[in-house]
Amino acid sequence: MPVLVPALGLLLLVSLVCGVGLGAAGIGWADVFRFLWAGLTGGTVPAADAAAYTIVWEIRLPRAVLGAVVGAGLATVGVAVQAMVRNALADPFVLGISSGAAVGANAVILLGAFAGLGVWALSVSAFASALAATALVYAVARSPHGLTPLRLILTGTALAYGFEAVTTVMVFGAARGEAARAAMMWLLGSLGGATWARVPLAAVTVAAGWAWLRRRAEPLNALAMGDETSAALGVQPARLRRELFLVTAAVTGTVVAVSGAVGFVGLMVPHVVRILVGADHRRVLAVAPLAGAVLLVWADLLSRLLLAPAELPVGVITAVVGVPAFLLLMRRGGYAFGGR
């Protein structure tokens, strides 16, 4: 831990610099650092460099920062969801929240809903529909005994299929091909709409969710061992699971609203981190956000470079890179969910 956390922090810084310095528009590294310094210190740049400065400071940097925030949020929520439902295949989207958000996002992209909100229409609609999906999952999954893992998984999965069916109908019914393409881009995840205005809310929500989960690391350790064991250790599993559900829903809804449905990060990163540091949630929650941030920054960079000037959905990159890596790690001897 004393080596891994600083190393990942340094790697994240290097990744952010690479995310800003590399792109379809060839801008020299000297100019990149000059523009970053001017932006950080409030300096000025010559009029001839205004276009390059805008690319670096207003397009690439907020995109790289938002990618780090989204990656950290997905990885953090992935840890929480897997502990909450005690399922190795769980990820932030198992509760149907991302599928619910997709309905709202596609209502804006394909039908022009909430047009009066301007540039905020997509984020507001996606977040509102994510909250509505959360309320529906909670209402259906709740029982007199609280939120049990099986009911959460079954309810979230069933409703996710329903939300996806609605989204598919909207995409196939789109009158404009370009709108359908934009909808599919969002469904597979994209940071193409990143701006500085979208960073603060996502960053604050992810940081608050992470801080809350870190304070609950010991109860999470107990919950992962089963309801009876956690109750014997003084933890109220039904209450803790309800709180976890609300926190993960808020973080997931916020992240999905600004980036689309980026898959596989919340599934893969927690497993990789457990292999490296063990199953103790105090360690896992210290490492997982950094690992998730690094992964998504590089995935977004590859999505911009592989077919430049065209752009791939970032979710495609996370799947292409993550699937073989995940399968390789799963073949590592001695690893089991919840332990080394």
Side-chain angles (χ1 to χ4, degrees):
M1 290 294 291
V3 174
L4 184 60
V5 172
L8 281 173
L10 179 60
L11 180 58
L12 177 57
L13 179 60
V14 172
S15 302
L16 289 172
V17 172
C18 291
V20 175
L22 300 175
I27 302 175
W29 283 102
D31 290 333
V32 169
F33 286 113
R34 181 163 58 89
F35 296 151
L36 289 176
W37 180 254
L40 291 171
T41 61
T44 59
V45 296
D49 295 332
Y53 173 81
T54 300
I55 291 174
V56 169
W57 186 258
E58 298 293 341
I59 298 177
R60 290 184 183 175
L61 184 57
R63 180 166 181 160
V65 172
L66 188 62
V69 170
V70 171
L74 291 175
T76 300
V77 174
V79 174
V81 172
Q82 288 175 9
M84 177 172 59
V85 300
R86 299 200 308 275
N87 191 314
L89 296 177
D91 70 358
F93 303 141
V94 74
L95 303 179
I97 300 170
S98 66
S99 300
V103 175
N106 281 281
V108 174
I109 297 171
L110 301 174
L111 305 178
F114 300 101
L117 297 177
V119 296
W120 290 99
L122 182 61
S123 295
V124 171
S125 180
F127 184 70
S129 59
L131 290 183
T134 299
L136 182 58
V137 171
Y138 179 82
V140 176
R142 187 181 181 188
S143 72
H145 304 290
L147 294 176
T148 62
L150 181 59
R151 290 180 67 91
L152 271 175
I153 293 174
L154 293 177
T155 303
T157 302
L159 290 177
Y161 278 113
F163 295 141
E164 289 170 5
V166 174
T167 301
T168 301
V169 171
M170 294 170 67
V171 171
F172 275 91
R176 295 177 291 118
E178 186 60 31
R181 182 182 181 278
M184 291 304 299
M185 193 77 170
W186 192 93
L187 288 173
L188 293 172
S190 175
L191 295 170
T195 63
W196 282 119
R198 294 188 174 189
V199 173
L201 178 60
V204 170
T205 304
V206 169
W210 175 84
W212 187 91
L213 290 169
R214 278 281 289 175
R215 292 185 60 187
R216 302 300 192 279
E218 288 291 351
L220 282 175
N221 289 338
L223 188 65
M225 293 186 288
D227 287 8
E228 292 183 1
T229 302
S230 59
L233 295 173
V235 176
Q236 300 180 34
R239 178 179 177 180
L240 178 59
R241 194 170 283 115
R242 183 168 58 250
E243 294 173 352
L244 286 170
F245 180 77
L246 295 175
V247 171
T248 55
V251 175
T252 303
T254 302
V255 166
V256 169
V258 299
S259 67
V262 181
F264 217 78
V265 177
L267 172 64
M268 180 180 68
V269 172
H271 287 291
V272 175
V273 172
R274 289 191 191 96
I275 290 174
L276 294 175
V277 303
D280 189 339
H281 283 86
R282 292 172 298 181
R283 295 186 173 192
V284 174
L285 286 169
V287 176
L290 293 172
V294 171
L295 173 63
L296 200 58
V297 170
W298 280 103
D300 181 60
L301 181 57
L302 288 174
S303 74
R304 293 191 282 120
L305 294 179
L306 287 180
L307 296 180
E311 181 178 319
L312 286 169
V314 69
V316 172
I317 303 299
T318 57
V320 169
V321 174
V323 168
F326 185 76
L327 293 177
L328 181 63
L329 288 169
M330 288 302 98
R331 291 187 60 83
R332 177 183 181 269
Y335 174 74
F337 175 65
R340 291 186 66 85

